Amino acid sequence: KGGLDVEKEPLKSLAPADKLYPKMATEAAEYQVAVDLFLLSSGFIDVASLGVLPKITGGSLYRYNNFSTPLDFAQLHNDLRWNVLRPQGLEAVMRLRASSGLGVVDYGGFYCKRTPTDVDLPALDCDKAISVSLRYEEKLPDGQEACVQCALLYTTVAGQRRIRVHTLSLPISSVLGNLFRAADLDAQSCDLIRKASTKMLSGTCSLNGAKDAALQTTVNTLYAYRKFCASNNSTGQLILPEGLKVLPLYCLALHKSPGLRSDASPDDRATWLLHGLSSTAATATPSIYPRNFPVHRLPEDEPSVFPPLPTITWLSSEKLEQDGMYLLEDGRDMHLWVGRQVPLDHLKACFGVEHVDQIQSATAVLQQFDNPQSKALNGFVNCMRKMRSGYMRLRILKRADAAEGTFYSRLIEDRSAAGMSYVEFLCHVHRLIQNKFQ
């Protein structure tokens, strides 16, 4: 990389290498053609340049790094199937209107914008979202309501032309405490991810720049709460609003995500950022802070029915028991981590082996055996897949495995090469808030 400091220098490689793909995508959008990409290459393929095709045409990006037919064919098959069968519309035009005093600044997501007011979508589906940034153009009357209306003209897959209108009426309040009581943590996290993705994919922002922007947003939010809603408490205390208690945790998780880690490969980074750019509030949070389930104590009643789900564990290696098994899922992939001291009877029941070293991570496939433990584990994995729109592939990893780093890189509460521990980061955020009072 010629001495390039990945953290401090703008990552120009995240912008398209030339104008060919943007031009091709714009022409496709003009003819109402959406481009879906299924990338199965194991080497570098410049996802940042290719990703412009689905980004501008409203298509979808699927990447199967180091594709293995035994391990990944089920995901490819289900992604192809869902891509055709999922709820979607075609040849769409969207416009957002707002009450007097509010104006539209910009849109975000996978779309083509040819006019100042409308968003063109050759295709739109249930797995993506369009974000809209609004601005205050004049003072809003306290105690009344402001309305936002989204109108969408589209064609169904059956060929019917339809109009769908959503109108949202929101109370106007000059009391900041009301805003924090109604705060939506998932929406706030999604906004952080989308803004970071937009900055990075422009090719003009550094990793440090994107991280600092997310950190400043978090600090400014918590500072406003501390100053205007909890001023009676000592400044030596870190006071967090109830609805945003883990906002610093999600900010740290974003810093350690594949999109902003300095050790991520160019294609891994570009893929994650493109997914982040079109993410919904429901899919954004697990993409930075996955759910980690202990699966060594699943109920073995027959038939195995989920939910209820086991209680998730914090993403820290301190929470991992060597005689346990943990399933980590982020909405796209699942990793099943097997401890070195898992009992022999459990290994044999779930994997058909007598020692943990007999599990070969590169080729291991979860099979179903005729016993309660195996049926419960398979039932839980299938439950996880049904809870996500995409089919999540499963990788089985064991302690001290060569591929174990993939699992440990998602334990974001631990100190690592990617950044501070959660406790250290909380102290850092607290110091930054205190500095704003001086």
Side-chain angles (χ1 to χ4, degrees):
K1 295 186 179 179
L4 173 68
D5 189 331
V6 178
E7 290 278 353
K8 298 179 181 178
E9 295 292 329
L11 292 186
K12 298 178 181 179
S13 60
L14 286 174
D18 54 46
K19 297 180 180 179
L20 172 64
Y21 289 119
K23 182 181 178 183
M24 184 188 302
T26 303
E27 289 179 358
E30 289 176 354
Y31 287 96
Q32 302 295 348
V33 174
V35 179
D36 296 323
L37 291 181
F38 292 82
L39 308 175
L40 281 69
S41 173
S42 58
F44 174 73
I45 50 176
D46 195 5
V47 173
S49 294
L50 291 170
V52 173
L53 294 170
K55 178 176 178 287
I56 293 179
T57 64
S60 297
L61 170 66
Y62 304 90
R63 177 168 171 258
Y64 311 86
N65 193 30
N66 297 320
F67 182 82
S68 164
T69 301
L71 297 177
D72 301 328
F73 177 77
Q75 186 182 34
L76 173 61
H77 175 267
N78 281 275
D79 283 347
L80 282 165
R81 181 177 178 274
W82 179 245
N83 186 272
V84 176
L85 297 179
R86 65 186 170 185
Q88 55 192 308
L90 307 169
E91 301 176 358
V93 180
M94 188 188 90
R95 178 182 294 184
L96 189 124
R97 303 177 180 87
S99 295
S100 177
L102 293 173
V104 176
V105 178
D106 199 8
Y107 295 89
F110 280 21
Y111 65 89
C112 181
K113 191 176 181 183
R114 294 196 294 267
T115 64
T117 57
D118 296 344
V119 169
D120 294 298
L121 298 151
L124 75 161
D125 58 71
C126 62
D127 296 328
K128 299 190 204 60
I130 299 291
S131 62
V132 186
S133 298
L134 302 176
R135 65 169 174 262
Y136 291 106
E137 296 183 333
E138 58 186 67
K139 185 176 175 61
L140 301 177
D142 189 18
Q144 297 189 25
E145 293 188 337
C147 293
V148 179
Q149 185 179 79
C150 179
L152 179 72
L153 175 66
Y154 70 103
T155 302
T156 68
V157 290
Q160 296 177 320
R161 199 69 174 155
R162 293 181 180 175
I163 295 178
R164 175 174 289 189
V165 179
H166 288 276
T167 305
L168 187 63
S169 181
L170 300 168
I172 300 171
S173 175
S174 59
V175 180
L176 198 58
N178 294 337
L179 178 68
F180 281 103
R181 275 191 290 274
D184 187 323
L185 178 63
D186 287 337
Q188 181 100 349
S189 304
C190 184
D191 186 58
L192 286 177
I193 293 170
R194 281 173 164 269
K195 286 179 177 175
S197 298
T198 301
K199 287 177 181 291
M200 294 302 302
L201 290 170
S202 69
T204 60
C205 183
S206 66
L207 293 177
N208 278 351
K211 290 177 182 178
D212 288 345
L215 177 60
Q216 284 306 313
T217 299
T218 301
V219 169
N220 290 340
T221 300
L222 300 178
Y223 168 72
Y225 178 78
R226 182 70 184 77
K227 182 176 181 180
F228 299 107
C229 304
S231 57
N232 294 332
N233 295 284
S234 166
T235 55
Q237 292 179 280
L238 178 60
I239 308 296
L240 303 173
E242 187 64 32
L244 300 177
K245 274 189 174 179
V246 293
L247 182 61
L249 175 62
Y250 288 174
C251 180
L252 175 64
L254 174 59
H255 285 192
K256 294 186 176 183
S257 68
L260 298 185
R261 291 175 65 97
S262 60
D263 57 356
S265 73
D267 280 347
D268 285 346
R269 189 189 313 283
T271 301
W272 193 93
L273 292 170
L274 285 162
H275 286 157
L277 187 63
S278 62
S279 62
T280 66
T283 60
T285 300
S287 72
I288 56 172
Y289 194 88
R291 297 188 297 176
N292 192 32
F293 295 96
V295 293
H296 47 282
R297 289 190 291 267
L298 293 174
E300 297 172 5
D301 305 329
E302 292 201 35
S304 299
V305 178
F306 302 97
L309 304 176
T311 303
I312 61 173
T313 65
W314 295 104
L315 295 183
S316 170
S317 57
E318 293 180 1
K319 302 298 182 182
L320 303 180
E321 300 173 9
Q322 287 302 316
D323 61 349
M325 302 192 306
Y326 298 84
L327 184 82
L328 183 143
E329 68 90 14
D330 62 4
R332 180 63 181 168
D333 294 303
M334 289 186 290
H335 293 93
L336 179 58
W337 183 87
V338 184
R340 298 291 299 177
Q341 298 171 17
V342 172
L344 171 61
D345 59 338
H346 214 74
L347 283 174
K348 196 159 188 177
C350 294
F351 307 108
V353 299
E354 296 187 350
H355 193 278
V356 67
D357 286 335
Q358 292 178 295
I359 298 175
Q360 301 298 320
S361 300
T363 57
V365 177
L366 185 65
Q367 303 179 54
Q368 180 158 322
F369 301 101
D370 189 18
N371 62 70
Q373 296 100 315
S374 179
K375 290 178 180 178
L377 181 57
N378 277 271
F380 183 74
V381 168
N382 290 333
C383 171
M384 290 293 98
R385 286 173 172 153
K386 289 176 183 177
M387 294 178 74
R388 304 294 185 193
S389 58
Y391 182 93
M392 294 187 289
R393 65 180 179 179
L394 175 66
R395 289 287 190 268
I396 301 175
L397 308 169
K398 61 180 182 291
R399 184 73 180 93
D401 205 33
E404 190 185 27
T406 307
F407 178 84
Y408 272 87
S409 69
R410 307 312 303 271
L411 302 183
I412 63 96
E413 294 184 40
D414 293 336
R415 181 178 179 82
S416 67
M420 310 176 197
S421 70
Y422 179 38
V423 173
E424 292 170 334
F425 189 74
L426 267 181
C427 294
H428 179 55
V429 169
H430 190 200
R431 280 194 299 271
L432 293 175
I433 294 173
Q434 287 179 309
N435 291 342
K436 293 178 76 70
F437 279 100
Q438 297 174 0

